[in-house]
Amino acid sequence: MLLEKNKIDTLNDSLYSGHRKRFDFIAAEVNNIDAVIKKLSDFQVAIPSWALGTGGTRFGRFPGRGGEPRSLEEKIEDVGLLHALNRSSGAISLHIPWDIPGNAKAIKELAAQHGLRFDAMNSNTFQDQKDQQHSYKFGSMQHVDKAVRKQAVEHNIEVIKYGKELGSESLTVWLADGSCFPGQLNFRGAFQHTLESLQEVYDALPDNWKLFVEYKAFEPNFYSTTVGDWGQSLLYANKLGPKAYTLVDLGHHLPNANIEQIVSLLLMEGKLAGFHFNDSKYGDDDLTVGSINPYQLFLIFKELVEGMDARNMNHASDLGWMIDASHNVKDPLEDLLQSVEAIMIAYAQALLVDESGLKAAQASNDVVKAQEILQQAYRTDVRPLVAEARLRAGGALDPLQLYRSLDVRGALVKERGENTVATGL
Ligand code: LRH
Ligand code: MN
C-alpha cells in the first residue's frame, strides 16, 4: 500500500497552527535549534523484518485484524509505509531464513523505491529448519560436535552472501547457546568452540563489514548462556578483531542492570555495535520502546550523545540503531510507530542536556545540580521538535493519527486478507 503525499499534506495542514505554537514555544528555549532538528531528521531507526506481524508466547498467539505481510516484498512495503509516515524508519533489518531474498536485485530496487536501505543481517541458529542435517538442540557454535559447529558457521557465511547482494554491511549473531542444568556444559569448552566458530565467520566478512555479537542473560537456556552478558560479548569481540563489536539489546539484561553505564564503557572502548531497542519489566519482554522505563531510555541516550561527541562520531551513521520487538496485543505497525517516536524523543531530550553545566556540577560533586540539569532536559516536552523534524523531512506531523484516520490496517486486510501470518516471532 503506497501512502499518497497529499494525504500527509492534508493532515499536516489541519495540525499546523497548533504545531507552530508549540514548536515556537520550545524553540525559544533551545540553542542551535536548526542543528538539533537536522540531527533528528538524519537519525534513522531500522525496523526488524520479524516484527511486522502479531507475535505470541509459549502460551499462545492471538491474531490481530489481519493484513499481515505474506512475503519479503510486502514486509518492505510495510516498512516503506512507516517511513513515509515518520521519515525516521529508513532501514530494514532482515532475518535469515525467515526473509531469504528470492531475487536480491529486485528486492534491493523495491527497498530503494521506498527510501529504505538494509541494516544488519541476522542469522538464525536458534531453530532447526526442516531440511537441516544437524540439530541445534544442544547449541550451535558451542556444540561438542564439530559437524554442528561447521553447519552454524556455513549458515552465517550464507547470510553474509545475501547481505552483500542487498548492500548490508553488518551481521548480527545472537546465539541461544547455553545450558539448562549445572554439569550439562563445560563453560571453557563452550567458549572456545564458540570463539573458533565466530572466528571463521569473522574471517569471511568483507573488509567494510562489521560483526555484531549480541549477548543475552537467559532464555531459551535457563542455567547458562554462552554469550550471557556484555563482558562475555566484549571478550569475544576483543579476541576476534577490529571488525567485531558488542550489540546491546535492552531486554537482555538481568533486572536492575545499569545499561547506561554498560553503554558508556562499550562506547569508551570503541566496541559498541549498536542497539536492539525495546522495553521490558521482567525478562526479554520485547515491549514497545519507552513504554515501561522511558527515563532509562533517556539516560542511555544521554550517555550515547556524550560518548559519541567525545569520539567525534556521527550520531546517525556510526552505530546501528535497530528495534527488536514483538507485538502480542498491539497492531504491529502502530507499535513500531510508537517505538520510533519514543526513540526520537529520548534522543531529542539527550541533545538538550547542558553538558558543560553537568561537567561543572560533577567536578564540584554538586549532586543536586547534576540531577536538576539532567531532569531539566528529560522534563522538557520535545515532541514539537521531533514533529518539526518529521515535517521538514516530508513526514506526517502525527503519524499514528494519520495511520488510524486512513484506516491503513483496514486497507491492508482488504488487500491481503484477514488470516495472513507474517514470518518471524
Ligand atoms: C533474541 C533476539 C535476537 C533475534 C531474536 C529475534 O532474543 O533479541 O536479536 O535474533 O530476538
Ligand atoms: Mn535482539
Side-chain angles (χ1 to χ4, degrees):
M1 177 190 164
L2 269 181
L3 188 59
E4 297 90 43
K5 189 75 177 72
N6 66 341
K7 296 266 181 14
I8 295 176
D9 297 342
T10 309
L11 174 98
N12 289 349
D13 295 348
S14 68
L15 297 176
Y16 190 74
S17 59
H19 164 69
R20 188 88 259 144
K21 260 205 281 336
R22 289 186 293 272
F23 175 73
D24 292 346
F25 173 76
I26 175 82
E29 308 278 318
V30 177
N31 312 332
N32 60 7
I33 182 72
D34 290 325
V36 168
I37 301 294
K38 176 84 174 61
K39 281 198 172 104
L40 293 173
S41 299
D42 292 347
F43 197 89
Q44 298 294 315
V45 179
I47 305 297
S49 64
W50 60 90
L52 295 165
T54 298
T57 72
R58 61 185 169 162
F59 300 104
R61 174 185 178 277
F62 300 93
R65 284 178 56 194
E68 296 189 6
R70 300 162 290 184
S71 64
L72 179 51
E73 288 77 2
E74 290 186 345
K75 288 187 176 190
I76 290 171
E77 282 167 22
D78 283 7
V79 178
L81 196 67
L82 294 175
H83 192 44
L85 286 166
N86 62 26
R87 305 308 296 167
S88 304
S89 312
I92 182 169
S93 183
L94 299 189
H95 220 299
I96 306 294
W98 294 333
D99 307 303
I100 291 176
N103 171 339
K105 188 167 170 306
I107 290 288
K108 196 174 177 186
E109 276 155 18
L110 176 64
Q113 281 163 26
H114 289 277
L116 306 178
R117 63 175 181 79
F118 290 91
D119 205 304
M121 303 294 288
N122 298 267
S123 59
N124 179 341
T125 59
F126 52 85
Q127 294 173 326
D128 288 347
Q129 307 307 319
K130 62 184 178 335
D131 51 5
Q132 197 169 298
Q133 193 180 2
H134 304 289
S135 172
Y136 292 132
K137 178 173 181 177
F138 295 110
S140 59
M141 292 186 179
Q142 76 171 20
H143 206 287
V144 291
D145 179 345
K146 176 85 181 130
V148 179
R149 303 198 297 273
K150 185 168 177 301
Q151 177 181 274
V153 167
E154 283 164 1
H155 164 67
N156 278 274
I157 292 174
E158 186 197 6
V159 174
I160 293 171
K161 182 178 70 60
Y162 289 125
K164 275 164 49 181
E165 293 168 352
L166 295 169
S168 172
E169 295 179 349
S170 52
L171 169 68
T172 295
V173 177
W174 169 66
L175 300 172
D177 295 24
S179 64
C180 280
F181 297 96
Q184 174 185 343
L185 198 64
N186 176 295
F187 297 134
R188 278 196 316 287
F191 184 94
Q192 288 307 336
H193 286 154
T194 301
L195 180 61
E196 284 155 25
S197 305
L198 283 172
Q199 192 66 62
E200 288 180 53
V201 175
Y202 184 93
D203 297 343
L205 288 174
D207 293 349
N208 65 332
W209 272 54
K210 293 178 177 177
L211 177 63
F212 298 167
V213 181
E214 182 177 3
Y215 60 88
K216 182 172 181 177
F218 67 91
E219 188 210 36
N221 279 294
F222 296 102
Y223 172 64
S224 77
T225 298
T226 301
V227 188
D229 62 24
W230 72 283
Q232 294 173 49
S233 174
L234 186 59
L235 207 50
Y236 287 108
N238 283 339
K239 289 175 181 289
L240 288 166
K243 291 191 283 187
Y245 299 81
T246 291
L247 187 135
V248 177
D249 184 312
L250 300 190
H252 288 187
H253 300 83
L254 294 173
N256 308 322
N258 187 324
I259 304 175
E260 55 270 28
Q261 183 185 21
I262 294 169
V263 165
S264 159
L265 299 181
L266 287 171
L267 203 43
M268 175 186 74
E269 290 297 295
K271 277 297 188 182
L272 179 63
F275 290 85
H276 279 181
F277 290 113
N278 46 54
D279 211 337
S280 52
K281 188 162 181 57
Y282 304 105
D284 188 19
D285 310 341
D286 279 345
L287 300 174
T288 315
V289 182
S291 61
I292 305 291
N293 194 344
Y295 192 53
Q296 174 183 260
L297 187 66
F298 159 71
L299 294 174
I300 289 170
F301 267 93
K302 184 260 168 234
E303 293 303 332
L304 284 167
V305 168
E306 194 248 344
M308 293 180 91
D309 291 349
R311 296 173 68 89
N312 296 322
M313 292 169 74
N314 177 301
H315 293 186
S317 57
D318 288 349
L319 285 180
W321 311 110
M322 295 163 277
I323 290 172
D324 183 359
S326 138
H327 325 287
N328 302 346
V329 293
K330 291 182 178 180
D331 177 299
L333 298 181
E334 293 188 351
D335 199 334
L336 290 163
L337 285 173
Q338 289 184 309
S339 281
V340 174
E341 178 77 359
I343 291 167
M344 299 305 291
I345 286 172
Y347 179 40
Q349 291 164 328
L351 290 173
L352 299 190
V353 172
D354 166 12
E355 282 298 344
S356 54
L358 184 61
K359 283 207 171 31
Q362 290 165 342
S364 57
N365 295 312
D366 187 342
V367 183
V368 171
K369 181 72 178 162
Q371 180 179 320
E372 288 303 312
I373 289 170
L374 271 190
Q375 296 192 333
Q376 166 61 31
Y378 179 69
R379 292 170 174 161
T380 300
D381 183 358
V382 297
R383 292 174 296 174
L385 301 183
V386 175
E388 178 69 14
R390 272 197 300 271
L391 185 66
R392 294 184 190 184
L397 276 170
D398 187 330
L400 198 53
Q401 183 183 329
L402 186 57
Y403 178 89
R404 288 199 164 191
S405 62
L406 294 177
D407 188 19
V408 172
R409 179 54 63 186
L412 292 173
V413 170
K414 236 195 242 87
E415 182 190 328
R416 298 168 180 174
E418 271 183 22
N419 306 316
T420 55
V421 178
T423 55
L425 279 186

